[in-house]
Amino acid sequence: MKLTDLKKTEKQARIEFYGCPLRCPYCTHRDRSKKDYQLMEILESVADPKIEEVYLGGAEPGIYRKELKEMLQRLSRMNKKVTLKTSGADPEFIKDTLGLVHKYVVEVKCPFDDLTCVTDLTGLNKQRAEKYVRSLQQSLQLLRGR
């Protein structure tokens, strides 16, 4: 997995992932240096019992779907409270993480009915922007009430 940052404080760890299916021209994560990490390397770095919360963010953690699901399962067994920031572009990924994530932060770029705004902000063409908005709506529906 490619990370742009892995920081720890006394009670919290912050893991910033590199890569995203969107092409937002304003995204600062695209310009940051990245480093390859193995899953076990990341887990070992946050295994300290003093670390109670783990924030998973960056560009889009969900692009590492397989590894991230395993990471979430292991973090859950370590009794870590996980906050996951996502674009909401992959509702199946959201469905797979339910019960493993304490809090979700879903980045909503524009009103759903303003495709011009979505294409301008994401760099997606109209067809891909429409698909993204549908996926985002499905993700939010899955998270409703959580």
Side-chain angles (χ1 to χ4, degrees):
M1 290 181 283
K2 293 185 188 322
L3 302 183
T4 60
D5 208 358
L6 176 58
K7 288 184 183 174
K8 297 182 287 182
T9 62
E10 191 173 315
K11 292 185 177 187
Q12 188 178 56
R14 184 176 188 89
I15 303 169
E16 300 276 348
F17 291 84
Y18 178 83
C20 181
L22 305 179
R23 298 183 183 121
C24 305
Y26 63 85
C27 182
T28 60
H29 296 282
R30 299 183 330 170
D31 300 331
R32 296 173 70 189
S33 61
K34 57 191 175 289
K35 181 180 173 190
D36 285 316
Y37 285 85
Q38 296 298 316
L39 175 60
M40 292 311 295
E41 187 179 7
I42 297 168
L43 289 169
E44 286 171 11
S45 74
V46 301
D48 183 340
K50 292 179 188 171
I51 296 176
E52 299 170 359
E53 298 177 13
V54 178
Y55 172 86
L56 305 175
E60 175 52 66
I63 66 170
Y64 302 100
R65 176 182 217 176
K66 180 182 173 191
E67 297 95 336
L68 200 59
K69 185 170 181 189
E70 184 177 346
M71 180 188 295
L72 289 168
Q73 290 168 338
R74 289 175 180 250
L75 290 171
S76 178
R77 288 194 295 268
M78 287 187 240
N79 296 314
K80 308 291 185 188
K81 288 185 177 178
V82 175
T83 298
L84 175 67
K85 181 219 151 232
T86 180
S87 66
D90 186 352
E92 288 301 313
F93 170 69
I94 299 294
K95 189 184 293 184
D96 288 345
T97 65
L98 293 174
L100 299 172
V101 173
H102 181 70
K103 295 179 194 171
Y104 290 88
V105 176
V106 181
E107 189 174 350
V108 177
K109 309 252 181 222
C110 299
F112 297 145
D113 61 351
D114 189 348
L115 277 181
T116 301
C117 177
V118 175
T119 59
D120 287 349
L121 282 179
T122 64
L124 298 173
N125 65 33
K126 184 179 178 186
Q127 182 181 12
R128 290 192 65 208
E130 288 171 341
K131 182 180 179 194
Y132 161 66
V133 168
R134 283 192 307 275
S135 295
L136 175 58
Q137 288 173 314
Q138 290 172 357
S139 293
L140 291 172
Q141 187 62 35
L142 287 165
L143 296 172
R144 182 166 295 215
R146 296 183 185 271

